[in-house]
Amino acid sequence: MSTPEDKPSKVIELKQRHGGAAGSDERLGELLKLVRGIALKRVNGLVSTLFENVDDALFHLAERAESNAVQVQFFDGMREVRKKRQLVERKFQEQLSQIFNEFADGKLKPVRPEVANPSSGGLSLVDDQELEDSLAVSSMVAKAENRLSRTLHLVNQRLAVIIGGAAVEDANNPIGPAPLCQAFRVAVREFELNVQVKLIIYKLFDRYVMSGLEPLYEEVNTELIRAGVLPQIRHQLPQSGRPRSSGPARAAQGMDPSGHGAGEQDGYAGSGYPGGSYDPVAAELQAELYSTLRNLLANRRHSSDHLVGGDGSGYSGAGGGQMAPNLSPTDLLSALSILQNQSQTNQIHAESVADAAKAVQQIKQELLDQAHRLGGTDSSGYSVSSADEDTIDLVGMLFEFILQDRNLPPQIQALIGRLQIPYLKIAILDKHLFAQKTHPARRLLDAMAEAGKSWSAESDVDNKLHDRIKAIVETVLSDFDDDLSVIEHELAGFEQFLHQHKRRAELAEQRAAEVTRGREKLHTARRDAAREILSRIGNRELAPVIHNVLSRPWANYLVLTDLRHGSGSDEWKNALRFADEFVWSSLPKKTEAEKTRLRSLLPQLEKALKHGLGTVAYHEGDVRALMQELSQFYQKLLNGESFELKTAEEVIADNAAVDESSEQPESTPSTQSPVEEIVLSSGSVEPEASETVDEEDEFIESARQMKVGNWIEFVDEEGNRERAKLSWISPISSRYLFVNRRGLKVCDKSVTSLAVELRRGSAILLEEVPLFDRALDAIVEKLRQTHSGGEASAAPPASA
């Protein structure tokens, strides 16, 4: 901020330039209108973009909802936003206009969104909704003010000039993050939304509006410089700017990487880390799980100390049971940084699971040795605190689990396994890693594991996914020191990469499902047509020409009619009526009444038959030849002459013999249309597995419980592995369509054949629970099994 002494001089300079106080007031008012116009145009555009993306975001979350109730909440939120979007946008614009009016009149009070604290005022209770709103808004404001401090400071200085020299700070700048967030907070109160959906909208506001403020500030500064407002101002931050410490020293002071105490969550609290979604119940369960983990680790450590006669103070090399001083967090982090640099150099090509597993086993001892050397003493002079010992062990067990995880292909296991040292640094710096599902480092690990679960050499022929995960690993190894923004940046980039891939894969999946759906509809239509024709032919002896018409072109006409209009349509009923009358017309006529009826029926049959033949693309020459043959047949029938009759089997045999003995030139029109064939079989689409499975079999149940989106690994007879996702379940046949990560079809199977493969082990279901949660569950179980008394308290699963 400018000092009180220099503000008057700047204002006077501007007045002198434009000559006179009255002219200056008018000029300054125009400049404020200019700023207001720029701000309203840009901010309203950003808010419009926000609401255009709300639907997609909520729909995506609804698809991934863990229960129907949560899914309904997201869908209700979508409807509410659609219904009241215009109202909220109008309310937001009104709030912005009011803020500018108050700013112009000098009445805009500083907006400081504080987190409600019952102990700081007379309130004994704080409404949960208001608390969550406060947490979300304060987080956005703090992050934006810190990120935009330079350009925002310049805007403050110039706005102070154009309103006559009054002090302008971040909190009372009409286009500052705090007033904008407060205006949005007031506007979204028009929505009737639950806490979770509203927090998602706040995160989208942060993503689409707060992240777009820098171009606004730059444009305002540019226009005011062009208007002559402080063109000479230097690009420097105010002396009162918020200092930020970083690095190991901060950790030594008990601070997390965001500058807050280890027990605080400001900037990440309530709504979780940026990009996460806050669930109070899940957060409580996660905290309980972490507490159980710490207790189990402590019990194991005390048991070990008792067995060896230790004192429980940590890793101590001091003899005689003397208490050794603990290594400081600074020493530990410095040692980890050295190991991280060494691992980047030595392990950059060690991408096998065996190499990564070996590194996991060695890191703990190497860390202690390196820390002791940095402490300037031998290994007998220092110990590691119990808390740091637990953290080292916990991260080690996490990465041991990763390297044994059946969900991950070995190539992905080896890549992710190289991140142990950076993640140990993160865990020492920020104890929230294991206690909060929304921690960015945890989300990055889960995102890489979830994407890696779908990886196979066949589905990633261009190595884009493998190389992207490898690039993230190498970036974290080379760039991460103690600033979580490196992790957040990699997470954001990876999520964008996955989003782009997902859109392409979804299109391919849709095409694969449409092809399979079309094939099944065609198969069903053929089966229905065959059933109808067979029910009319039966065991009757018919003239070959009648039989051929029904079993070839008319059967295919029934197929097309079923596909186009359905089996309940009038067209379908008329086609069956023709078949009935056509069969009757071919039977011998013994009475004059029957002959009279036949003569009156023949024109109708001819008309209907020509229509059907045209529909299945019969060549005109073939139609004329067929009509001539039928005319001769009916003439003999009416004259009472005898003619050859054959059964269906005899006609099929004759046709097969003709097809084998004569080869038709390509240029000669065939009597079969592109879809035409003899439709007298209702066989299955593909042969089923020869093995049978009991309906109560556990593998049948596992196959039936699969949901769209679940992943499975297929192993062929040669041992080749292919990972595939259940993309679509046929409503016609209940068959499962499986695709790879690119959305390309791998196979489609019935429930029975899939159950047979599950029993054989040639199909293996992959876990759907996030990697970090599964790892914590496994670690808890392992610690309980190794705990001698088994009296550890129960903990909820990490996936809760």
Side-chain angles (χ1 to χ4, degrees), residues 374-386:
L374 287 172
T377 183
D378 59 27
S379 60
S380 65
Y382 282 90
S383 68
V384 176
S385 70
S386 298

Side-chain angles (χ1 to χ4, degrees), residues 601-617:
L601 184 62
L602 287 177
Q604 300 173 33
L605 292 178
E606 181 180 2
K607 180 179 178 181
L609 182 57
K610 286 183 176 180
H611 170 72
L613 295 176
T615 302
V616 295

Side-chain angles (χ1 to χ4, degrees), residues 577-590:
R577 189 178 301 113
F578 168 85
D580 291 330
E581 293 173 342
F582 194 56
V583 170
W584 178 86
S585 72
S586 69
L587 300 177
K589 301 296 177 281
K590 299 178 180 180

